[in-house]
Amino acid sequence: MSEELIIPISEMEGITPEYQRLMDKSNNVDYKWIVDNNIFVQVGCDMEGVPVFLLNASNLPPTSQIEPVLIGILKTLEQIVKGNRYTLLYSHALLKQESTPDKSWLNSFYQMLPRNYKKNLKNLYILHPSGWLKILLLAMSPFLSEKFWSKVEYLDYIQEIPGVLDRSNIKSKLPQSIKDYDKSLLETPEVTEQVVSGMDTLGKEYLSSFASSFNFFSSTNPSSWTSPK
């Protein structure tokens, strides 16, 4: 992946009204609760000293309670993105249906972020991506820059976590249920490959007609976005 310079500014750039609203509420958020519940934690730094954060989707609360988590994540990263890069590892497997955002939520969230969060993201690793998650991101392509895609890397198994990251630290923070899920995938790789490949093929066929719209997802059960079991 190509190197990208950080934004040489000390303040946030492109603050949106929604972002400001969330930050105005940040003093009332218990960040310790987010860490204690292993939702969003720092897992060391990469070999260049860039801080790495792990987001465990399986530990996310219902969407009705997601705002405090979102505020905690943004506030945690705020001081970093004002002048430094960061890396995010998102563990997608076992995301519960009640914790799955609405189809337009990801796009709204991305548009809400100040430029610092987007520009200073060094890498986005997605562990155990499902076919539907890939389809969703592809459908969002009109809103995502080419630079963003250059930062994304899918990891089908825990063992694929790059050596430039602190693997032992990351593994220690992954829920046991995720480790068990990963083990089950390794025991039946041919089944997993067939399921994911089939979903990706189906998704590409639909995207040829619906890529410019989110209407395709209006009748889709959000639970389908979780990794295949």
Side-chain angles (χ1 to χ4, degrees):
M1 297 182 182
S2 59
E3 289 295 320
E4 190 170 352
L5 296 177
I6 61 174
I7 303 175
I9 57 176
S10 60
E11 300 298 332
M12 302 304 291
E13 182 177 289
I15 293 179
T16 60
E18 177 62 13
Y19 178 83
Q20 187 61 58
R21 183 187 72 81
L22 294 175
M23 291 301 98
D24 288 343
K25 301 173 67 173
S26 63
N27 291 333
N28 299 320
V29 172
D30 180 11
Y31 306 129
K32 188 174 183 297
W33 173 83
I34 298 172
V35 175
D36 290 346
N37 284 273
N38 199 24
I39 297 174
F40 184 74
V41 294
Q42 183 170 356
V43 283
C45 298
D46 67 14
M47 295 183 67
E48 295 182 349
V50 174
V52 180
F53 293 87
L54 170 66
L55 175 59
N56 285 311
S58 62
N59 289 342
L60 286 172
T63 54
S64 59
Q65 303 171 26
I66 200 68
E67 185 171 278
V69 174
L70 180 59
I71 293 173
I73 292 174
L74 294 176
K75 195 64 178 179
T76 299
L77 295 176
E78 186 180 46
Q79 293 304 314
I80 296 175
V81 301
K82 284 182 178 179
N84 293 286
R85 294 183 296 172
Y86 69 101
T87 285
L88 178 62
L89 193 157
Y90 170 62
S91 173
H92 179 66
L94 307 185
L95 172 65
K96 298 180 290 291
Q97 179 177 348
E98 62 267 26
S99 303
T100 304
D102 179 79
K103 63 182 183 297
S104 62
W105 186 89
L106 281 175
N107 180 52
S108 298
F109 172 74
Y110 186 77
Q111 298 299 324
M112 174 270 293
L113 289 175
R115 184 167 176 259
N116 305 63
Y117 290 89
K118 306 171 186 177
K119 180 74 173 180
N120 289 344
L121 173 65
K122 180 184 178 184
N123 297 115
L124 171 59
Y125 297 103
I126 302 179
L127 177 62
H128 298 140
S130 67
W132 283 118
L133 177 62
K134 293 179 180 180
I135 293 170
L136 180 60
L137 291 177
L138 282 173
M140 290 177 60
S141 292
F143 310 102
L144 301 175
S145 68
E146 183 177 342
K147 289 183 179 179
F148 172 83
W149 285 113
S150 70
K151 302 174 182 181
V152 176
E153 183 174 341
Y154 294 119
L155 310 173
D156 292 324
Y157 306 101
I158 293 175
Q159 66 185 26
E160 294 180 355
I161 295 175
V164 296
L165 306 182
D166 187 343
R167 286 176 173 171
S168 61
N169 198 341
I170 293 172
K171 291 179 182 178
S172 71
K173 297 298 182 181
L174 286 172
Q176 185 58 46
S177 59
I178 298 301
K179 297 175 186 176
D180 293 341
Y181 173 82
D182 187 80
K183 182 179 180 180
S184 70
L185 293 182
L186 289 171
E187 292 174 348
T188 56
E190 66 284 350
V191 175
T192 302
E193 184 176 344
Q194 289 174 7
V195 172
V196 174
S197 177
M199 294 180 75
D200 285 343
T201 300
L202 176 62
K204 289 176 181 178
E205 292 175 354
Y206 277 114
L207 278 172
S208 64
S209 300
F210 295 95
S212 62
S213 170
F214 283 94
N215 291 337
F216 167 64
F217 299 98
S218 61
S219 61
T220 300
N221 188 330
S223 64
S224 300
W225 301 349
T226 58
S227 298
K229 298 180 180 179

